[in-house]
Each structure stands twice: as structure tokens, then as C-alpha cells.
Amino acid sequence: MNKNIVLVWVFIIAFGGFLFGFDTAVISGAEKAVQQNWNLSEYQHGLTMSIALIGTVVGAAIGAWPSDVFGRKPTLFLVAVLYFFSGLGTALTINWELFLVFRFLGGVGVGISSVAAPIYISEISPAKSRGKLVGLFQLNIVIGILTAYLSNYLIGQNENESWRWMLGVQVIPSIIFFILLFFIPESPRWLIIAKNKINKAQEILIKINPVGYKDDLDSIVNNQVFHSSHSKLFEKSHRKLIMLAIVFAVFNQISGINAIIFYAPRVFEMAGLGAQNSLLSTVGLGTVNFISTLIAINLIDKIGRKRIMVIGTIGVIVSLGIVSYFFLTESSYNLVVPLLLMVYIAFFAISQGAVIWVFISEIFPNSIRAKGQTLGSLTHWVMAAVITFLFPIVLQSIGAGLTFLSFMVFMIIQLWFIIKIMPETYGKSLESIQETI
């Protein structure tokens, strides 16, 4: 394998993950100022916070169409454009309704990116390092989240309309991403599946794997012939794959991860920290997320997807349980809760944070991979939107203790699912995985 060229392509695509993470988390520093600026009710505020995720649902729902029809690369150009206008629009608008529109567009970009980017990376990566390379997309999401938290903290020192600058700085990495996309090729698997351009695909495969490209090409072509009569996602032979993608995505969100990322400063203030300390604590949260994801991408191709999920889920259950206890008993927790949430983030990032995009991008055949990735991403983002919208309402209704306890119960169910049902996929080629599920 030509490691250098593959790494360059993967890092460029993974930079889209940076924008993904930045767009997702940047609103956390601006959410209270936005609510005050337009005097929003709790329900209007919930809509404002979740509108990007609603856009993400739309983006995930349509992500397979441009990926399959126009290709993975043109689809990512579209993503860069959406991020650019989202950052520019949310920073400049003086109207709440228009603010919602631009946040929605950013969400559409996130949704499409969650389909196209993992597919592209999985389709150019060798089996032995596919988990690590797809994991770089998640790592960049985490770097984007950390950068958003740090940017919010630094910009937040200036009280004068600082929230607009928090949102507007996204324009710069959007332009960088757009330019970098000119330096990557199209996915060779897409060229064969959608366009039957075998010679063009072969040229790219030679760059990826100069020694074994013929075997790779034969495997892709033979797999395409075999699955050509099963190109519809919703058919009997794909039922287990569909179940795995949906259930995995649902559990990823009912862990409470997006609620904590979006509302981290508010949760920390509930734990007794001041406003500035709460913003600074989110930087710590993002740092832990980053370090843990680095660990994850180095483990995922060594100990496998399933074992790392078991370890991470147990850690998530324990940390959520203790957080719930401190809130329920109203103990002195102004330092303990932020630390426990960092432990929670660490175990989440080591396991399902890194595994979800890898696992869903692996389990479907080439002929329906984009559709399968769309299904998993769509489920993921529907749940994220619902939980982000409901979190402040539920928090106000039943309190933080019972809210975190609910997340813990869902994670206990997830642990059973992983042990009893989840298959192992690491170390196998994309074309051979379906034979073992």
C-alpha cells in the first residue's frame, strides 16, 4: 500500500470532520446569548438549538443521492459550500428566522458529510487499517469540537456581540476544506459501481496499492456482479444489516452525548460553576474527547470493534450513574460533576464515538453502502435532534439526576446488545464482511 498518498487523501476528507465537529459544538457557547438576544421562550430556544440537527437529519436522508449519482468528491464540495454559508449567515443575520435557516443549512452539511466522508475513506482504505483511517474522521470531529470550545472561550472574553464571532469564524476552515478537495481523486469503488469506469478506477487503485491492485480490482468487480441483483436496501437479505445500523445509531444518541456537547456550559453552571469557568470547563471536555479519540483510533484495529465497545460502555454506565447520584442527592458537586462528565466523554470517545462511523460504513455491500450509511446517519441525527430539543425541557421537568439516570439505563441495554448481537468486523475486507454477518 502507498501509505503516504492514502494518508494525504484521508486527512483531507477527515478535515470535513473538523467542520462537522465545529459546526455541531460552536452553538454551545452562543446559546444563552442567542436566547437573550431574541428573548426566546424555552420552546423557541429548544428549536434554535436543535434546528441544525433537523438540518442534519435532512442532510443524512438525502446524502446517498448525491454520493451515488454525482460521486463522493462532488458531494463533499457541496458540504464545504454549505458550511461556508452557514457560518457567514449566522454571524451576520439580524433576524431570528433567518438565523434558523442558516443553522439549518450547516446541519444539512453535517448530515451529508456523515454519509459521504466515512464511505469515501472506507472505500480507499485497506482492511488492516480501515478502522484507524475512518477513525481519523471522528478524530477531526473531536478536534473541531475542541476548537469550537476553545474559540468560544477566547472570543467570549469580549462581551460585545461575541456570539456572532463565535459562529462566523467557521468561514475560514470552510474555504480551506473547499480548496483541499481539488487534490483528492474520486472513490475507485464508486467509479466501478456507478460508472463502470474500470480503467479509471484501476489508475487510482495502483496509486493506493501498487503491488496488490489487481486483486483489489477483481474483488470489487466480482462483488459488484454478485450484489447487482440485491441493490435495494430494504429487502429480506439485508434485514440484519438494517437492524444493526439503526440500533447502533439509536444507542449512540440515547447515551446523552449530544445533549452534553450542546448544553455543556449550562450543565456545568447547574453543577455550581460560574459562567466563565463553565466555558473553560468545556475546553477541558473537548481536550479529553480529543485524547480519548486518539487512543481509540490506535486500538480499534488492534483489539477490534466489539471489545472496545464493551469497555467503553461499562465506563459510560458507571460515570453516568455517579453523576446521577450527585444530582439526586444534591451533594456538593461543583468540581466532581465536571470531572465525571470528562470521564464519561473519555469512555464514550474510546468506544462508540469512534466506532459508529467505522462500523456502519463497513457492514453494507458496495452496491448499497451509501444507502446503508444514509440509513444509519439518518437514524443517528433524528435521535440527536429529538434529544437536543427535549433535553432542556426534560431537565426542567424531572431534574438533572433522573435525566442522567435515564441515559445510564439505556447504556445498560446497549451493553447487552453489544455482547449478544453485535458482530466483529475488523481485519476483513469490505467485500468479505457480509459473508460473516
Side-chain angles (χ1 to χ4, degrees):
M1 179 186 73
N2 190 337
K3 292 182 179 179
N4 292 335
I5 193 68
V6 173
L7 277 174
V8 169
W9 295 344
V10 169
F11 272 114
I12 290 173
I13 297 302
F15 189 69
F18 173 90
L19 286 159
F20 178 142
F22 192 95
D23 187 85
T24 300
V26 71
I27 192 66
S28 67
E31 58 107 355
K32 292 185 73 176
V34 168
Q35 184 178 25
Q36 293 166 2
N37 187 70
W38 284 298
N39 193 27
L40 305 178
S41 68
E42 287 300 318
Y43 284 93
Q44 288 175 319
H45 185 48
L47 177 62
T48 303
M49 292 299 290
S50 61
I51 191 66
L53 290 174
I54 295 171
T56 303
V57 170
V58 174
I62 65 174
W65 179 73
S67 295
D68 279 342
V69 174
F70 302 108
R72 314 327 190 194
K73 182 176 175 177
T75 301
L76 290 166
F77 273 115
L78 172 62
V79 167
V81 171
L82 288 170
Y83 284 142
F84 174 83
F85 283 107
S86 175
L88 190 66
T90 51
L92 297 179
T93 184
I94 57 173
N95 180 284
W96 176 61
E97 288 78 11
L98 277 178
F99 182 87
L100 293 182
V101 170
F102 286 115
R103 280 295 293 166
F104 176 83
L105 287 178
V108 172
V110 169
I112 296 175
S113 176
S114 70
V115 174
I119 290 173
Y120 181 95
I121 298 173
S122 70
E123 289 181 343
I124 66 168
S125 302
K128 65 180 180 180
S129 57
R130 188 174 57 246
K132 180 183 291 187
L133 293 177
V134 179
L136 287 174
F137 179 70
Q138 174 64 21
L139 178 64
N140 274 267
I141 293 174
V142 169
I143 294 172
I145 292 171
L146 173 58
T147 304
Y149 285 154
L150 182 59
S151 173
N152 286 347
Y153 172 69
L154 295 174
I155 294 173
Q157 305 301 311
N158 178 11
E159 297 295 330
N160 185 25
E161 294 285 290
S162 62
W163 65 271
R164 294 186 182 275
W165 287 99
M166 290 179 183
L167 299 170
V169 293
Q170 180 173 296
V171 165
I172 298 171
S174 300
I175 295 172
I176 295 171
F177 182 49
F178 185 88
I179 294 170
L180 288 175
L181 287 173
F182 284 100
F183 297 95
I184 66 168
E186 184 52 83
S187 161
R189 282 179 167 88
W190 179 82
L191 289 171
I192 294 171
I193 295 164
K195 299 297 181 181
N196 198 32
K197 293 184 177 180
I198 296 176
N199 291 336
K200 181 64 176 177
Q202 180 174 288
E203 292 174 12
I204 299 168
L205 288 170
I206 290 172
K207 293 179 181 179
I208 296 172
N209 188 2
V211 176
Y213 75 92
K214 288 185 178 179
D215 290 338
D216 292 339
L217 183 63
D218 290 342
S219 178
I220 296 167
V221 172
N222 292 337
N223 182 264
Q224 176 63 10
V225 172
F226 179 78
H227 287 286
S228 61
S229 61
H230 299 279
S231 58
K232 293 181 179 179
L233 177 62
F234 294 102
E235 59 179 49
K236 188 175 180 179
S237 62
H238 298 146
R239 282 189 302 185
K240 186 172 181 180
L241 303 179
I242 291 168
M243 179 276 294
L244 287 170
I246 291 175
V247 173
F248 208 89
V250 168
F251 278 131
N252 187 274
Q253 283 304 304
I254 57 178
S255 66
I257 183 63
N258 263 24
I260 292 170
I261 288 175
F262 272 67
Y263 294 100
R266 181 168 296 207
V267 172
F268 288 153
E269 284 191 47
M270 289 176 63
L273 295 179
Q276 285 300 318
N277 285 335
S278 295
L279 280 175
L280 185 58
S281 293
T282 62
V283 177
L285 208 66
T287 303
V288 170
N289 201 0
F290 168 68
I291 294 170
S292 301
T293 304
L294 271 178
I295 295 170
I297 65 174
N298 280 288
L299 291 177
I300 196 169
D301 285 323
K302 293 178 181 177
I303 67 174
R305 288 45 158 163
K306 188 165 184 172
R307 190 179 301 175
I308 204 172
M309 283 294 295
V310 170
I311 295 168
T313 302
I314 291 172
V316 164
I317 290 169
V318 172
S319 53
L320 284 173
I322 301 174
V323 168
S324 174
Y325 169 80
F326 274 104
F327 274 118
L328 286 171
T329 58
E330 298 183 354
S331 306
S332 178
Y333 45 62
N334 60 331
L335 289 177
V336 178
V337 167
L339 289 175
L340 284 169
L341 288 178
M342 289 180 190
V343 172
Y344 160 86
I345 287 288
F347 279 106
F348 179 92
I350 285 173
S351 55
Q352 58 209 77
V355 172
I356 180 171
W357 304 117
V358 177
F359 184 74
I360 295 176
S361 71
E362 290 176 324
I363 60 176
F364 291 96
N366 291 331
S367 58
I368 59 165
R369 182 167 296 116
K371 296 183 181 74
Q373 184 75 25
T374 289
L375 177 66
S377 296
L378 178 61
T379 305
H380 175 275
W381 292 117
V382 166
M383 293 301 301
V386 169
I387 290 173
T388 303
F389 177 75
L390 292 178
F391 184 72
I393 300 167
V394 173
L395 207 60
Q396 189 178 51
S397 206
I398 66 174
L402 289 177
T403 301
F404 284 102
L405 184 63
S406 300
F407 292 146
M408 185 196 75
V409 171
F410 289 131
M411 290 300 92
I412 292 173
I413 300 171
Q414 174 180 264
L415 183 60
W416 173 88
F417 168 80
I418 294 164
I419 294 171
K420 295 292 185 180
I421 300 174
M422 179 184 173
E424 184 57 82
T425 58
Y426 90 105
K428 302 171 184 175
S429 72
L430 292 175
E431 286 71 36
S432 67
I433 287 173
Q434 292 79 39
E435 299 172 10
T436 60
I437 296 180

